[in-house]
Amino acid sequence: MTSAQPVVLAEGVHKSFGLNEVLRGIDLQVLPREVFCLIGPSGSGKSTFLRCINHLEKINAGRLWVDGELVGYRQKGDRLYELKDSEVALKRRDIGMVFQRFNLFPHMTALGNVMEAPVQVKKQTKAVARERALRLLDRVGLADKVDSYPAQLSGGQQQRVAIARALAMEPKLMLFDEPTSALDPELVGEVLDVMRGLAEDGMTMIVVTHEMGFAREVGDALVFMDGGVVVESGHPREVLTNPRHERTRAFLSKVL
């Protein structure tokens, strides 16, 4: 992958649920090593767009590429052919996703949660998966919690296990869907610190967030979405400090 090729490229992406058009022609690109932040009011389509990137939702129109390959489809001539579920799952392995809710397996320890996908999906040996899982849990500051079950961990600790679990699959791209919104305020910082570290390591990340400080300090690009369209985009500091659109200004006046 050359630095010129976007990791994610969206052209005219539309998505509807019944009569409700949630995405109305999204055009954007995310470059390698970029921290790309999506902000906007609830219901603006941010989370739906993330789910389209890893084909948890199928788009109704437009094109979406990840790492140069169409998401969910193969193109022959002018026609698109939908990929089989097994082919989609294979491509989805390269995309890590961290949700609002931690979605950990409650019957597994932190270590077991991080080891599970590499063993089951990538067919790694337990020894190899365990060694990497221990390294990742140490990286997210949980070396002392490897044998703890989710119910024994705080929300912030659970979210950090979820990040380690996503990283265990060695993804090319990490998607974060409001990863701190379900956390108590005092736990937000520990999760953002881990994400900051990933950014410093050069991980390509798309982050749906309400944490404007994180977007300003860590983000390379920022998009403000509303009503299923991109209203404004640019460098985070520029958009947050000097928004051009009235709708962006109105939104930021409520959250900053």
Side-chain angles (χ1 to χ4, degrees):
M1 190 169 68
T2 68
S3 60
Q5 176 177 286
V7 178
V8 176
L9 178 61
E11 291 184 353
V13 170
H14 286 255
K15 172 65 187 174
S16 296
F17 296 101
L19 296 174
N20 181 20
E21 195 177 13
V22 180
L23 299 177
R24 306 179 182 206
I26 300 294
D27 297 305
L28 56 79
Q29 64 173 20
V30 181
L31 299 175
R33 304 174 71 87
E34 197 166 53
V35 178
F36 191 97
C37 296
L38 284 171
I39 66 168
S42 203
S44 58
K46 310 179 301 294
S47 297
T48 298
F49 180 67
L50 275 200
R51 292 172 68 82
C52 291
I53 291 172
N54 65 0
H55 207 55
L56 288 172
E57 301 289 355
K58 296 175 186 176
I59 66 175
N60 300 117
R63 295 281 193 278
L64 191 51
W65 289 267
V66 172
D67 206 19
E69 294 189 4
L70 271 176
V71 174
Y73 299 92
R74 183 186 296 109
Q75 186 160 355
K76 274 190 183 172
D78 293 336
R79 298 198 61 181
L80 284 184
Y81 297 89
E82 194 163 349
L83 298 179
K84 297 185 190 122
D85 287 347
S86 58
E87 294 174 287
V88 170
L90 207 59
K91 292 178 184 293
R92 199 179 280 143
R93 285 163 35 163
D94 292 332
I95 304 172
M97 186 147 184
V98 178
F99 299 88
Q100 275 178 310
R101 297 285 167 189
F102 326 120
N103 295 353
L104 299 177
F105 298 116
H107 62 289
M108 290 183 185
T109 62
L111 183 64
N113 267 282
V114 179
M115 285 175 60
E116 179 72 358
V119 171
Q120 297 299 332
V121 180
K122 283 196 158 182
K123 306 303 179 193
Q124 285 183 3
T125 65
K126 286 194 173 177
V128 168
R130 178 185 167 82
E131 187 184 333
R132 179 161 169 77
L134 287 169
R135 279 206 311 275
L136 286 169
L137 286 166
D138 182 43
R139 180 181 181 180
V140 299
L142 293 172
D144 58 335
K145 298 290 184 186
V146 294
D147 296 321
S148 298
Y149 289 89
Q152 299 168 311
L153 300 172
S154 71
Q157 289 168 336
Q158 289 185 62
Q159 193 61 294
R160 286 185 281 153
V161 173
I163 294 171
R165 181 179 61 179
L167 292 173
M169 292 295 283
E170 301 177 81
K172 299 171 183 170
L173 168 68
M174 284 283 281
L175 308 177
F176 292 89
D177 188 8
E178 299 190 18
T180 59
S181 66
L183 300 179
D184 291 333
E186 68 268 23
L187 302 177
V188 168
E190 63 193 44
V191 173
L192 294 180
D193 284 345
V194 170
M195 293 168 64
R196 225 174 246 115
L198 291 179
E200 285 164 8
D201 292 345
M203 174 63 76
T204 308
M205 298 156 60
I206 304 179
V207 185
V208 172
T209 186
H210 294 300
E211 301 294 335
M212 300 302 156
F214 175 85
R216 185 187 291 108
E217 293 159 38
V218 184
D220 299 298
L222 184 140
V223 155
F224 170 66
M225 281 177 67
D226 189 29
V229 299
V230 172
V231 175
E232 186 160 353
S233 61
H235 190 278
R237 286 197 181 115
E238 203 175 289
V239 175
L240 294 173
T241 312
N242 193 22
R244 298 188 303 276
H245 290 265
E246 181 53 46
R247 182 67 193 92
T248 318
R249 284 197 287 274
F251 173 76
L252 291 174
S253 72
K254 294 189 181 81
V255 298
L256 285 178

